[in-house]
Structures are given as structure tokens and as C-alpha cells.
DNA sequence: AGCACGCCGACT
DNA sequence: GTCGGCGTGCTC
């Protein structure tokens, strides 16, 4: 190939051709914080390319070269034709994203105020966001202009007739310099070359001189060849031009054992019953032409024996199966242990039998192995998983596996909601109340809400499952927008746990436990039962203070106390990770009388040993389970009955069952109850019910004792006496009275800077500008105010709360406002972002 | 977001 | 005299 360098053919972009049947202008989304699409001319070496939206294009952008996504083709541009640049290369033979995917992502980008190009690129696995590995990008250094005007072909090297061509097509994109139309030969040269030649020739390429101008390789991605998936255009062979129209030999998703090796063990698996994927086109759009479902059939299930549905489950399964092929959201409102997963499995079996695909979203990585194991043991499906713990290569392969239509079930966390699934027929969002379904930075989308929108676009049912649904979802179910399915009974003989409030005012606490709770623990331990204690505070003590002068150990970067940890022995900020050695004397007055206030799980664990010397305890929090495999070891010990007391933070509340536990003690949730966030009570109730759900699954009924200093709190009363649904009804009434979601819709404009006044000034200006917009008529703006925990990692945060009764009106306002804010001059170091449907108020 | 251009301070 | 601070403006 290097030999061919001597004939590199370089063409400068042509001016408007005189004889064109129809001008092709490509509208490209660019991954930059810019809302608009950018117009480009097609590359010269792709005369008969099909310009399907969703293709990844390599484009010159400013002085950079970026990977953009084709969004449309038009004959007219608002920009002078002569100033349009050419696309450098088309990276896919067939778009990675279908029209439906583009529609979904574009909707999400608009709804969540994210620039389209950034939203699109974030929908791809990281490896596909980058220039392919066997793609060399050469930068041509500055030199004298080789041409002024005209559209004749220009030899690359000035004055010489030396032409250089890469064996599979080279191209160069000189660009106008200074915007005045004079071309320099500075720019990028992109070339692809085949695998075998990659390593051998690249170094030589970087030294090649062409006349007076040398080309050097700006970037070569050295990747082991056997790991590098072949871009489609190389499948045709070594000398084939990369972008020829005939793509028959270069479909990116064709079944090819050599290019799609078996997946890594433990991340996904092939089923021996895998269907022949060739009978499906991965790119057919929509499900309207899909084969009809056999109603009531159970093909696809491989082990039904022993799994008998109760009547509630049967009603749920029947209702969902009847809705296949149409958009219908379901709320599967089922208490812990009521068999929600079994309902999923029955409906999934139907999907698999019909040769369709299903998407299952779970909030956390930790929940994927459990669900994966259950699905795999029950369903003869090709299952693939997607979450952040996978290596980039595995992520790409699994993504392709789903996007090609070869996988019938995709099980994944949040980001899986954007993965193309050509035969999608069902979406499940498990634990729909979980906060981690909403991304908390950058593109702040809610995977649950995007899922509903996706089901609507596709025309398929969606199941939102939870034992503690969000008030938003419950409200939708109440209004009949979601079909409400109830699973009120626990499987088997298990009884639901009882919850009692324990007033701890004026009680002498030891290890954070009131005398009554200590008695009850002793009672259960004596009976050979297990006890679970919940404390949502890790570390030894949350505050260290000086008894002589009142000094309190705070974080130098945050408005937060440092937490004392004894193992390892550090003084730690839980917000920014700052640590310092534990002081032995007061840094302020040198007194040695430092005292700990409050207690975390570490301290309670220590105190439990003196309180219950005969009992073994296990502490489960993010500190004790930091080592790989440690969580599994502790959970296993708990489930075997090797420990009598389980102590932990909310890690305990997620997904794991402890059949031997008969008593749950919740030590202190008062802080959550009275937090500033209007969702705090809802969170607390969900946590209580989820923790309670860990207990008493066997024939022994579980009890929950909730220690509080506010036993009269109306929401606690509702929860204890009327259960979660009673709590939800009361909480919804409160939301209605205070005009909070779901009765209004919110957006939060957040701003932060190192300077304390800068964010507030910006927000004041933003509020002033908002008032000028006609769309602000039905908008209420509260603030600006410093955010809770205003100073974090040395930056001051403030926010402005936008409230509106109508989602549509809020959207219209945000669109106008966002455009306006982009133009506001930005003070030094200011960052701002809009959070639509914020989940946390800081 | 990058990246370049452009006009004012401390130094090879 | 230059290197470099980040303000401003643009990217098809």
C-alpha cells in the first residue's frame, strides 16, 4: 500500500457543478453543543451512495475532524454552496441507527434539552463513537495554497505531477482558511487500509515525503488485529474500493463466524435453539408487519414445570399478551415476592416464540446476573446483556448482537434503552421507582420515560414493574393512562411483614437501638432467627467535634462534615472523596478532647458485639464490600445462616432475599423524612417497604420495627396503617395541594462556578430573560437559590426551579429559553445545564 | 466543546 | 523584544 502512496489522488472540493440533476446536500448532526445540523457535500468517491439517515460520516469540522451522523438529505442549503465542505468518508455500509432509533433519540434530545449530535453519539457504544481502528488520519501540515478557485483536480504536491492514491481510495479535505475562500493544502487526509498492511506500513507512511510537502500520520490506532472488528467496507477484499455501491459483500451484520466470535462467558450466551437470523431483515422498520402472536401459546419457554401462576399473575400475563402488537403501558404493581419476574418470563416466552425481540431494563448492574440466570434457565432465548461493567469490546459486540436482531432478549441498564432492536415487541422496566434509571449528569434522561416513548413509537406494550411505584407512575395508572396490574399476594405461604413505629424520644439508645428493639433482637436471636438492621449511614461517626472549642471537622472543598472511618482509619468526605488523617488534637485549639457525634454502620457493628456477644454479625455497605467478591461472600454467609445479625445500608434493600430474617430494625430514617427535597418522604417510604420486603419470605412472618422521633408524621402513619398504597394516596394529595409533580412538571436550571456570586448572577439574568418570552405565560419560576450542599468540590452551585402545569407548555418554554441562554455571555468558569424532570434537587 | 485569533503582563 | 493569560467568535 505504501508503494501506492506515490499515486495518492487528492482532490479539492468542487465548486457547484454546472450539470447536476439534483444537488445532494447532506444534513449532519455533529457531536458538539450546537443544536443545528450542518450541511455537507458528498465525498467525491461515493457517486452512487445511498444516503440513508443514520450513517456515520467522517467530516471536517472547523479545524477538527469529527464523526457525525447523517440526519437527512436536501437539495438546498442556507449556506453558500461554495462554502460547504465535503464529507471525508462514509463509515458504514448500512446505518447503525434506523429511522426509528433516530426518531427516539431526537425526541429525547429535544425533551431533555441535549444537543442532537451529542445525544446521538452517546447512544452508540464507545468504540463506535470513534474513528475505526484501521482508519488512518493523516494531517497535512500548513503550506502554500495549491489552488485558488476553480474546481479542477489538483495534484497534491504543489507543482509536481506526483499523484498518490491509497489502494482502497484516498481523499483529502482541504478547507477554506480564514473563511475567505483561499485554499491552503492544510487539512486532514483520511485513508483506510486493510488489516494485514496496518502495522507493517503505517510507520513508513508517517515519513513519506511528497515533493515539498510531507504527510505525516496524525493518529493511528494500533489495535491487535484479531480484536478489531472489520468495518463493512473491507469485507470485499483487499483491493476493492471501500465505498462502492455494491454492498452485497459488506453488510455489517451478516452472519460471519470469523467476525462475530462467541461472546465472553458470563456476559451473554448463545442458545442451542437460536433461530436462523437470516430470515429476518435486521433493518426492517416497525412491527406492523410482524407475524401475529399466537395468543396464549407458551412456545419459547423451556421449563414450566413447578411454576404455576396464581390468578393475579395469570390475569397480568393474559392482559399483557392481549396487548402485544400495540402500544400499551402496564404498571405491574406487585409486592416483594409476588412473582413479577415470572410474569415477565411468560410474556417473554411469547415474544421469543414469535421470533421477536424484547428489551428489559434494570436499574443496576447488580441486578443483571440474577435476572440473567432466571431468564436463561427458563427461556430458550438468545440473551445478551449490556451494562457499564463490560469491557468496551464486549459492549460493542453485545450491542451489535442486539442491533442485528440476533439476540431475542436484551437485558441492560439505563443506556440500553437506546440500543437498536429491529424486531422490538416488548419493553420491561424493572424497579421503575429506582432513581438510577435517571442519568444524573450530562444527558439527563430518564430511561423509564424514554422507554414509554419508545414503546409508543414502536407500537408495543411496556411493563413498568415495582413493589413501590413512583407517584408519577401511580398517578398515570389511576387516570387510566397505564393499565394497572396488581400482584398483592406473596408466592407460597409467605405472609407480608408487619411494620410498627417505635417512638424513641427520651429513650436511652445503645448502639443506636432503643431498649425495646434490643429486647426484640435478643428474643429473635434466642429463637434461632436472623435479624436485619438498616442504617443508611456508613463509616464510624458522621461528625467529629472538639469538646473544648467547638471545632467541627469539615471538608475544605464542600459544605459537608468529614466522616470518621476507623477501618481504614481516615477522615473522609463522602461527597468529594477528600480524606485526611484522623486528627488526634483539635486543629484549632490543640485540645485532645475530640468527640464523635452520631454513629455509622462501622460503629454500630462494633457496639453490637458488646451488646450481643454470642451473635455473629455481617456488615454490608459500600466500604465492607469494596473488594471484589466480598459482597457475594457476605450475602452467601447471610443466606446460609452463618451470621445472625445483618447490618447494612441501602445496599441491603436491593434484590437480595434473606429467608431466615424475621425481624428488621430500621434505626434512623428521620433525616430522610425531613430532607429539603419534596420527594424525600416518597424515597423514605420506598426504602422502608423495600427493606421490609427482605424479611419473612418463608413460613415465618416478618416484622419491621421503625425507630423514629416523629411517630405522628402523617405519611409514616399512612404507611404503617394503610401500606404503601395508602401512603401513596396521602402523598399524592399533598403533591396536589403543593402543586408538585405529577400535578405540575418541573425543570431545574443549575449553575455552578468557583466564585460564589457568579451562578446566582447568571440565574438572575436567566430569570429576567425568561420573563420576556411569550412562552413564559404559564410558567412559574422559583429562585434563584443556592443548591442544597451549595459548595461541592470547591464549586458553588445554585439553581432556578421552573414549574408548569402542562408538559407541552414547559417544553415550548424550555426550547425558547435554552436558545436564549446559549447567547448569554458566560462569566469565567460558569457551567450551567437544564435538568428536565429532575429527580434530585441538587 | 474545541480551536484559533487577539490584545495586554512577566520573563527565556 | 517574546511567551502566554483567557475573552470572543466560529464551526456547514
Amino acid at each position: 500500500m505504501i508503494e501506492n502512496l506515490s499515486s495518492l489522488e487528492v482532490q479539492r472540493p468542487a465548486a457547484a457543478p454546472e450539470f447536476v440533476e439534483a444537488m445532494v446536500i447532506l444534513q449532519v448532526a455533529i457531536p458538539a453543543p450546537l443544536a443545528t445540523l450542518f450541511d455537507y457535500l458528498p465525498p467525491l468517491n461515493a457517486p452512487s451512495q445511498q444516503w440513508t439517515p443514520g450513517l456515520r460520516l467522517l467530516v471536517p469540522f472547523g479545524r477538527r475532524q469529527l464523526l457525525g451522523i447523517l440526519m437527512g438529505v436536501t437539495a438546498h442549503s442556507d449556506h453558500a454552496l461554495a462554502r460547504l465542505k465535503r464529507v471525508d468518508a462514509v463509515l458504514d455500509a448500512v446505518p447503525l441507527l434506523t429511522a426509528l432509533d433516530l426518531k427516539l433519540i431526537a425526541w429525547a434530545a429535544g425533551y431533555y434539552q441535549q444537543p442532537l449530535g451529542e445525544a446521538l453519539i452517546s447512544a452508540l457504544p464507545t468504540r463506535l463513537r470513534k474513528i475505526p481502528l484501521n482508519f488512518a488520519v493523516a494531517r497535512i501540515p500548513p503550506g502554500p495554497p495549491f489552488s485558488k478557485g476553480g474546481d479542477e483536480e489538483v495534484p497534491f504536491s504543489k507543482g509536481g505531477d506526483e499523484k498518490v492514491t491509497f489502494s482502497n481510495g484516498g481523499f483529502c479535505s482541504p478547507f477554506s482558511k480564514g473563511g475567505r475562500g483561499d485554499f491552503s493544502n492544510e487539512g486532514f487526509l483520511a485513508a483506510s487500509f486493510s488489516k494485514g498492511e496496518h502495522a507493517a506500513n503505517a510507520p513508513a507512511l508517517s515519513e513519506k515525503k511528497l515533493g515539498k510537502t510531507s504527510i505525516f500520520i496524525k493518529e493511528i490506532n494500533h489495535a491487535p488485529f484479531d480484536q478489531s472488528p472489520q468495518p463493512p467496507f473491507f469485507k470485499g477484499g483487499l483491493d476493492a474500493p471501500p465505498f462502492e455501491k455494491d454492498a452485497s459483500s459488506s453488510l455489517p451484520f451478516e452472519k460471519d463466524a470469523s467476525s462475530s466470535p462467541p461472546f465472553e462467558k458470563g456476559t451473554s450466551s448463545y442458545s442451542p435453539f437460536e433461530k436462523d437470523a437470516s430470515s429476518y431483515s435486521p433493518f426492517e422498520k416497525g412491527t406492523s408487519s410482524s407475524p401475529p402472536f399466537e395468543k396464549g401459546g407458551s412456545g419459547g419457554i423451556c421449563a414450566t414445570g413447578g411454576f404455576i401462576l396464581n390468578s393475579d399473575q395469570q390475569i397480568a400475563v393474559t392482559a399483557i399478551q392481549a396487548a402485544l402488537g400495540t402500544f400499551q403501558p402496564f404498571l405491574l404493581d406487585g409486592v416483594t415476592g409476588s412473582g413479577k419476574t415470572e410474569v415477565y418470563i411468560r410474556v417473554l416466552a411469547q415474544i421469543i416464540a414469535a421470533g421477536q425481540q424484547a428489551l428489559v431494563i434494570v436499574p443496576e448492574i447488580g441486578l443483571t446476573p440474577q435476572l440473567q440466570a432466571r431468564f436463561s434457565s427458563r427461556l430458550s432465548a438468545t440473551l445478551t446483556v449490556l451494562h457499564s461493567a463490560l469491557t468496551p469490546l464486549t459492549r460493542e459486540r453485545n450491542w451489535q448482537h442486539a442491533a442485528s436482531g440476533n439476540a431475542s432478549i436484551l437485558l441492560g441498564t439505563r443506556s440500553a434503552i437506546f440500543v437498536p432492536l429491529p424486531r422490538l415487541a416488548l419493553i420491561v422496566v424493572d424497579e421503575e421507582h429506582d432513581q438510577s434509571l435517571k442519568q444524573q449528569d450530562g444527558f439527563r434522561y430518564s430511561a423509564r420515560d424514554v422507554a414509554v416513548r419508545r414503546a409508543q413509537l414502536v407500537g408495543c406494550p411496556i411493563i413498568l414493574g415495582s413493589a413501590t411505584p413512583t407517584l408519577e407512575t401511580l398517578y398515570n395508572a389511576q387516570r387510566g393512562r397505564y393499565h394497572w396490574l396488581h400482584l398483592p399476594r406473596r408466592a407460597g405461604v409467605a405472609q407480608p411483614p408487619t411494620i410498627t413505629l417505635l417512638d424513641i424520644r427520651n429513650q436511652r439508645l445503645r448502639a443506636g437501638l432503643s431498649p425495646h428493639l434490643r429486647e426484640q433482637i435478643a428474643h429473635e436471636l434466642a429463637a434461632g432467627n436472623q435479624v436485619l438492621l438498616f442504617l443508611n449511614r456508613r463509616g464510624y461517626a458522621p461528625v467529629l467535634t472538639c469538646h473544648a472549642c467547638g471545632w467541627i471537622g469539615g471538608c475544605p472543598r464542600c459544605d459537608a462534615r468529614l466522616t470518621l472511618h476507623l477501618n481504614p482509619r481516615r477522615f473522609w468526605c463522602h461527597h468529594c472523596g477528600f480524606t485526611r488523617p484522623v486528627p488526634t488534637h483539635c486543629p484549632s485549639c490543640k485540645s485532645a478532647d475530640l468527640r464523635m457525634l452520631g454513629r455509622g454502620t462501622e460503629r454500630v457493628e462494633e457496639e453490637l458485639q458488646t451488646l450481643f456477644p454470642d451473635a455473629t454479625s455481617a456488615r454490608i455497605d459500600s466500604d465492607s464490600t469494596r473488594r471484589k467478591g466480598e459482597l457475594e461472600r457476605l450475602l452467601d454467609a447471610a443466606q446460609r445462616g452463618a451470621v445472625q445479625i445483618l447490618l447494612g445500608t441501602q445496599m441491603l434493600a436491593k434484590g437480595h432475599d434473606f429467608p431466615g430474617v424475621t425481624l428488621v430494625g430500621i434505626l434512623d430514617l428521620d433525616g430522610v423524612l425531613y430532607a429539603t427535597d419534596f420527594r424525600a418522604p416518597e424515597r423514605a417510604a420506598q426504602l422502608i417497604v423495600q427493606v421490609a420486603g427482605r424479611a419473612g419470605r418463608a413460613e415465618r412472618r416478618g416484622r419491621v420495627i421503625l425507630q423514629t422521633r416523629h411517630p405522628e408524621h402523617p405519611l409514616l402513619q399512612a404507611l404503617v396503617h394503610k401500606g404503601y398504597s395508602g401512603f401513596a394516596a396521602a402523598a399524592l394529595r399533598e403533591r396536589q395541594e403543593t402543586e408538585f409533580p405529577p400535578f405540575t412538571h418541573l425543570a431545574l436550571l443549575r449553575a455552578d462556578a468557583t466564585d460564589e456570586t457568579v451562578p446566582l448572577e447568571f440565574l438572575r439574568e436567566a430569570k429576567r430573560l425568561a420573563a420576556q418570552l411569550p412562552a413564559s405565560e404559564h410558567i412559574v419560576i422559583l429562585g434563584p437559590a443556592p443548591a442544597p450542599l451549595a459548595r461541592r468540590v470547591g464549586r458553588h452551585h445554585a439553581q432556578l426551579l421552573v414549574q408548569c402545569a402542562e408538559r407541552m407548555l414547559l417544553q415550548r418554554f424550555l426550547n425558547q429559553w435554552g436558545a436564549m441562554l446559549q447567547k448569554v455571555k458566560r462569566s469565567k468558569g460558569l457551567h450551567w445545564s437544564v435538568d428536565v424532570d429532575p429527580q434530585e434537587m441538587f
Side-chain angles (χ1 to χ4, degrees):
Chain A
M1 185 181 82
I2 278 310
E3 297 75 57
N4 290 333
L5 255 184
S6 59
S7 58
L8 179 72
E9 225 167 52
V10 173
Q11 298 159 330
R12 56 170 308 279
E18 283 168 39
F19 325 95
V20 271
E21 42 311 348
M23 197 64 196
V24 174
I25 290 164
L26 306 173
Q27 300 174 301
V28 183
I30 300 291
L34 301 160
T36 50
L37 298 177
F38 288 78
D39 296 342
Y40 285 87
L41 298 171
L44 290 171
N45 55 4
S48 52
Q49 168 84 41
Q50 288 290 314
W51 295 111
T52 319
L55 287 169
R56 291 179 307 151
L57 306 175
L58 199 57
V59 295
F61 187 72
R63 306 214 140 221
R64 293 176 294 161
Q65 190 181 44
L66 298 175
L67 198 152
I69 308 276
L70 180 63
M71 292 305 287
V73 181
T74 177
H76 302 284
S77 174
D78 291 342
H79 295 261
L81 233 44
R83 306 207 35 189
L84 298 188
K85 293 179 185 175
R86 273 188 195 284
V87 165
D88 282 331
V90 184
L91 297 178
D92 310 304
V94 180
L96 289 176
L97 301 167
T98 66
L100 210 60
D101 302 318
L102 296 176
K103 205 169 168 184
L104 179 71
I105 298 162
W107 172 82
Y111 186 85
Y112 293 104
Q113 298 288 311
Q114 179 79 355
L116 180 58
E118 293 188 341
L120 287 164
I121 213 87
S122 69
L124 300 174
T126 43
R127 277 170 55 98
L128 295 176
R129 295 176 199 177
K130 295 181 289 198
I131 296 166
L133 295 171
N134 43 6
F135 218 90
V137 179
R139 189 182 170 83
I140 303 155
F146 58 78
S147 173
K148 283 190 190 262
D151 57 24
E152 77 280 12
E153 286 192 8
V154 180
F156 177 76
S157 56
K158 191 184 177 242
D161 46 28
E162 194 180 19
K163 281 189 173 182
V164 187
T165 318
F166 283 119
S167 61
N168 45 15
F171 30 82
C172 179
S173 67
F175 53 86
S176 67
K177 197 171 188 301
R180 281 182 290 273
D182 56 325
F183 286 86
S184 105
N185 62 353
E186 183 183 357
F188 289 101
L189 180 133
S192 38
F193 44 93
S194 55
K195 282 182 171 186
E197 290 176 316
H198 181 171
N201 293 330
L205 187 65
S206 67
E207 291 164 13
K208 188 71 183 179
K209 295 249 178 193
L210 299 164
K212 291 177 185 169
T213 313
S214 61
I215 293 181
F216 63 91
I217 299 293
K218 185 197 177 201
E219 187 184 325
I220 290 201
N221 301 290
H222 288 285
F225 299 137
D226 51 354
Q227 280 189 22
S228 167
Q230 291 191 34
F233 37 79
F234 295 117
K235 294 263 175 84
L238 234 135
D239 295 314
F243 305 115
E244 65 183 353
K245 174 74 183 303
D246 176 20
S248 60
S249 62
S250 57
L251 278 171
F253 304 124
E254 68 182 343
K255 285 214 104 180
D256 173 358
S258 66
S259 68
S260 55
F263 288 49
E264 288 177 19
K265 287 194 190 86
T267 57
S268 62
S269 59
Y270 281 112
S271 158
F273 309 110
E274 184 179 342
K275 287 182 155 297
D276 178 10
S278 62
S279 58
Y280 300 104
S281 160
F283 306 108
E284 79 181 6
K285 293 179 190 94
T287 53
S288 49
S289 61
S290 58
F293 292 93
E294 324 156 23
K295 307 279 181 199
S298 65
I301 215 152
C302 61
T304 37
F307 299 92
I308 314 257
L309 297 180
N310 66 33
S311 58
D312 303 312
Q313 287 174 313
Q314 189 57 61
I315 288 166
V317 169
T318 306
I320 300 161
Q321 286 182 338
L324 291 175
T326 57
F327 169 61
Q328 173 64 58
F330 291 92
L331 165 57
L332 187 58
D333 184 356
V335 301
T336 313
S338 61
K340 288 190 291 292
T341 309
E342 189 59 32
V343 172
Y344 303 155
I345 287 172
R346 296 302 172 105
V347 186
L348 289 171
Q350 184 98 17
I351 302 293
I352 295 155
Q356 305 245 344
Q357 290 178 295
L359 172 59
V360 181
I361 303 285
V362 290
E364 288 189 46
I365 309 167
L367 300 177
T368 47
Q370 294 179 43
L371 223 45
Q372 194 183 354
R374 281 193 68 179
F375 288 167
S376 298
S377 72
R378 297 290 309 288
L379 297 164
S380 59
T382 311
L383 175 79
T384 198
V385 297
L386 222 44
H387 54 74
S388 61
L390 304 178
T391 64
L393 184 65
T394 309
R395 288 195 74 142
E396 185 192 350
R397 285 177 179 161
N398 290 8
W399 192 94
Q400 297 279 23
H401 197 212
S404 66
N406 288 333
S408 38
I409 300 177
L410 174 62
L411 172 61
T413 46
R414 203 170 55 219
S415 62
I417 196 56
F418 292 115
V419 176
L421 293 158
R423 300 190 313 280
L424 181 61
L426 174 75
I427 303 176
V428 175
V429 178
D430 197 25
E431 308 294 348
E432 71 85 31
H433 63 278
D434 199 294
Q435 279 188 85
S436 39
L437 289 171
K438 170 122 198 209
Q439 181 141 343
Q440 291 293 353
D441 53 16
F443 186 10
R444 306 178 100 104
Y445 63 94
S446 158
R448 183 242 284 148
D449 295 345
V450 176
V452 174
R453 178 67 186 162
R454 184 166 184 179
Q456 189 181 37
L457 284 175
V458 169
C460 76
I462 171 166
I463 310 172
L464 306 179
S466 179
T468 53
T470 55
L471 299 182
E472 283 86 347
T473 297
L474 281 171
Y475 183 58
N476 278 323
Q478 279 176 15
R479 286 193 300 165
R481 293 177 59 142
Y482 294 178
H483 190 324
W484 199 345
L485 300 168
H486 299 268
L487 301 181
R489 286 179 287 173
R490 285 189 156 198
V493 290
Q495 296 274 310
T498 58
I499 303 180
T500 52
L501 296 179
L502 180 56
D503 186 351
I504 56 166
R505 285 174 295 192
N506 296 315
Q507 297 285 309
R508 217 178 98 80
L509 303 182
R510 290 180 63 192
L513 308 170
S514 65
H516 177 70
L517 183 52
R518 294 201 298 270
E519 263 172 46
Q520 295 302 311
I521 292 170
H523 175 76
E524 295 295 333
L525 293 177
N529 296 325
Q530 284 176 305
V531 172
L532 188 155
L533 299 177
F534 175 84
L535 177 61
N536 215 9
R537 193 184 301 122
R538 61 196 179 88
Y540 195 85
V543 181
L544 187 68
T545 186
C546 172
H547 195 60
C549 76
W551 169 88
I552 287 178
C555 176
R557 302 187 295 191
C558 309
D559 291 334
R561 313 266 103 102
L562 295 175
T563 299
L564 180 69
H565 286 245
L566 291 190
N567 185 27
R569 198 180 170 82
R570 295 302 288 183
F571 206 23
W572 223 322
C573 176
H574 286 182
H575 297 278
C576 73
F578 172 89
T579 79
R580 51 188 284 190
V582 179
T584 52
H585 295 266
C586 174
S588 174
C589 75
K590 312 292 178 221
S591 161
D593 193 2
L594 296 181
R595 302 198 181 176
M596 298 175 291
L597 302 180
R599 48 174 50 76
T601 46
E602 261 190 48
R603 187 173 180 182
V604 171
E605 183 186 33
E606 182 184 290
E607 292 170 334
L608 284 173
Q609 278 167 21
T610 43
L611 225 47
F612 304 101
D614 300 327
T616 327
S617 66
R619 173 165 64 93
I620 296 182
D621 57 33
S622 54
D623 300 311
S624 71
T625 59
R626 191 153 297 167
R627 277 222 319 274
K628 198 177 186 305
E630 192 63 12
L631 176 64
E632 291 72 22
R633 195 186 69 78
L634 289 170
L635 291 175
D636 180 62
Q639 275 146 9
R640 278 199 333 266
V643 295
Q644 286 77 55
I645 303 175
L646 264 161
L647 167 68
T649 57
Q650 55 190 315
M651 281 187 87
L652 277 180
K654 304 227 166 154
H656 312 288
D657 297 322
F658 306 102
V661 169
T662 50
L663 175 64
V664 171
I666 298 174
L667 273 53
D668 182 11
L669 264 182
D670 288 348
V672 189
L673 221 48
Y674 286 93
T676 49
D677 195 315
F678 71 90
R679 265 185 258 262
E682 180 186 353
R683 296 268 149 68
Q686 287 162 349
L687 206 49
I688 292 164
V689 174
Q690 296 285 340
V691 174
R694 306 300 115 210
R697 297 200 91 178
E699 60 288 344
R700 285 169 296 194
R701 186 171 192 158
R703 288 186 298 152
V704 178
I705 295 176
L706 176 58
Q707 298 194 139
T708 178
R709 290 177 185 85
H710 306 280
E712 75 293 342
H713 192 295
L715 293 179
L716 275 187
Q717 286 290 328
L719 180 64
V720 169
H721 295 113
K722 297 176 192 161
Y724 186 78
S725 63
F727 161 84
L732 272 171
R733 275 194 299 277
E734 200 175 289
R735 295 277 184 92
Q736 187 158 28
E737 284 157 18
T738 53
E739 299 187 329
F740 270 110
F743 299 95
T744 57
H745 303 281
L746 302 179
L748 203 59
L749 178 62
R750 306 159 184 276
D752 66 272
T754 41
D755 188 312
E756 192 173 353
T757 60
V758 164
L760 288 165
E761 275 165 16
F762 169 77
L763 294 175
R764 270 192 284 273
E765 172 68 1
K767 190 176 186 173
R768 201 184 59 75
L769 289 170
Q772 299 175 0
L773 292 170
S776 69
E777 197 193 342
H778 298 98
I779 302 286
V780 177
I781 298 185
L782 304 164
L789 212 106
R791 195 172 51 107
R792 308 200 290 271
V793 207
R795 297 183 69 85
H796 290 87
H797 297 250
Q799 57 199 26
L800 207 54
L801 187 64
V802 183
Q803 198 171 31
C804 183
E806 291 296 324
R807 215 181 266 281
M808 289 301 289
L809 293 176
L810 178 61
Q811 281 293 310
R812 193 194 302 168
F813 168 75
L814 292 176
N815 289 335
Q816 295 179 14
W817 200 34
M820 212 168 192
L821 292 176
Q822 295 245 308
K823 293 177 199 136
V824 174
K825 65 196 180 308
R826 301 179 50 166
S827 322
K828 60 215 166 292
L830 176 76
H831 292 180
W832 63 268
S833 64
V834 178
D835 188 352
V836 182
D837 302 334
Q839 293 301 299
E840 273 183 304
M841 298 317 240
F842 71 93

